[in-house]
Amino acid sequence: MNKEQILYEDKDIIVCHKPAGIATQTAKIGQRDMVSEVSNYLGTPVKLVHRLDQPVEGILVFAKSQKAAGELGRQITSNQMEKYYYAVVALNSGFKVPVLDETDSVQDKAEKTEFAETRNEITLIDYLHKDNKTNISSVVSADKNGAKRAELQYTIFSQIPVKGLNIALVRIKLLTGRHHQIRVQMSHAGMPLLGDYKYADEKTKNLSEQLGQKNVALCAYKLAFSHPITGKRMSFQREPESAIFQNFSL
């Protein structure tokens, strides 16, 4: 456990940065996971509050007591814990973010400037079903047995052309916590994440291979919640470490 991974610690909680490629928790012998590493660092077991997929990097909070874990869990259930992500996605053909150009008319510049300033936030609402045999979730109709409502909000910031595809930086606010939710919903909306070899289309998978993107281009960069004991509102933020994000100004 690297001390630089620790963003905050007190007698009740510890907030850490999980690198991409490390599991949050695992039962596999010999495989690294954050629960074990944080527990070893503290010299006492921590309580798991929430998870990040193994190929995803980002901020996690662990509880040091059952009381703290219970209160943080309540905040998650009641949507009082705010989770924000950065993602790098491949945009389907024809999808473009307005970009100012020297040849634009006065009206075009005004419209594009308004778009850039408002950063229109779009809400995605789907129903997801998890296949436990394949560990894959998919978008289904609301009336399907086992379907769960999934909601997130996203904002597209900028895009750049890369090897015949446009890739874009997207900020996401997760409003529900479903299995592989961001990866499934964004792919279904025509914006698969780079490095996602499970849900992306073949073009995106091929681009990910060409770029050497082995992990999902997703980072839980901001986490906000109320301290489980004092009630003080706390917010933690850390920029992504993955090289793919360095193509954009965060």
Side-chain angles (χ1 to χ4, degrees):
M1 184 72 182
N2 189 329
K3 288 186 177 181
E4 293 183 356
Q5 292 176 244
I6 301 171
L7 281 66
Y8 176 82
E9 181 185 358
D10 62 23
K11 64 183 180 64
D12 302 300
I13 61 173
I14 181 169
V15 181
C16 307
H17 174 265
K18 183 186 88 66
I22 299 179
T24 301
Q25 184 181 44
T26 182
K28 296 179 180 179
I29 298 176
Q31 184 180 31
R32 294 176 63 192
D33 71 279
M34 289 299 294
V35 170
S36 298
E37 294 204 0
V38 176
S39 296
N40 291 336
Y41 167 79
L42 295 174
T44 183
V46 292
K47 311 295 182 182
L48 180 64
V49 176
H50 61 124
R51 300 172 183 269
L52 290 175
D53 293 344
Q54 184 168 337
V56 177
E57 68 167 299
I59 301 174
L60 288 169
V61 57
F62 296 94
K64 294 184 177 181
S65 68
Q66 196 59 52
K67 181 180 180 181
E71 169 56 23
L72 290 172
R74 184 197 65 77
Q75 291 183 43
I76 292 174
T77 303
S78 58
N79 292 327
Q80 293 178 329
M81 182 178 287
E82 299 177 35
K83 302 175 183 179
Y84 295 87
Y85 295 75
Y86 280 130
V88 179
V89 304
L91 301 176
N92 56 13
S93 59
F95 194 109
K96 290 186 177 181
V97 177
V99 178
L100 287 174
D101 188 274
E102 292 181 358
T103 61
D104 286 339
S105 66
V106 174
Q107 182 178 350
D108 287 340
K109 288 182 178 179
E111 291 176 352
K112 291 182 178 181
T113 300
E114 181 182 3
F115 180 93
E117 291 176 348
T118 57
R119 296 293 186 189
N120 295 337
E121 193 171 63
I122 300 171
T123 299
L124 281 183
I125 299 177
D126 295 298
Y127 286 84
L128 306 186
H129 179 268
K130 178 185 177 183
D131 186 329
N132 291 319
K133 293 182 178 179
T134 62
N135 196 39
I136 291 178
S137 290
S138 56
V139 175
V140 297
S141 60
D143 57 0
K144 180 177 175 62
N145 186 33
K148 295 182 178 180
R149 188 177 186 275
E151 182 176 356
L152 61 78
Q153 294 172 337
Y154 74 90
T155 305
I156 296 177
F157 279 88
S158 59
Q159 65 171 317
I160 55 176
V162 177
K163 298 183 181 295
L165 282 177
N166 286 324
I167 66 173
L169 176 69
V170 180
R171 184 183 67 189
I172 297 167
K173 182 178 182 181
L174 193 61
L175 300 178
T176 54
R178 306 305 182 199
H179 177 256
H180 293 169
Q181 179 181 334
I182 293 176
R183 297 160 66 184
V184 177
Q185 284 196 277
M186 297 302 284
S187 181
H188 182 73
M191 295 173 283
L193 275 63
L194 291 184
D196 190 349
Y197 296 93
K198 182 170 286 190
Y199 296 104
D201 60 284
E202 290 305 314
K203 283 187 177 180
T204 304
K205 290 179 183 177
N206 290 336
L207 178 59
S208 297
E209 289 180 353
Q210 293 178 53
L211 297 177
Q213 186 65 32
K214 297 180 179 179
N215 289 308
V216 178
L218 182 63
C219 174
Y221 80 94
K222 183 178 179 181
L223 186 68
F225 56 89
S226 297
H227 191 281
I229 305 302
T230 68
K232 179 182 178 181
R233 194 66 182 170
M234 311 181 80
S235 179
F236 302 94
Q237 186 166 324
R238 180 155 171 169
E239 290 190 0
E241 294 180 349
S242 179
I244 191 67
F245 290 97
Q246 307 313 312
N247 294 294
F248 303 92
S249 176
L250 300 176

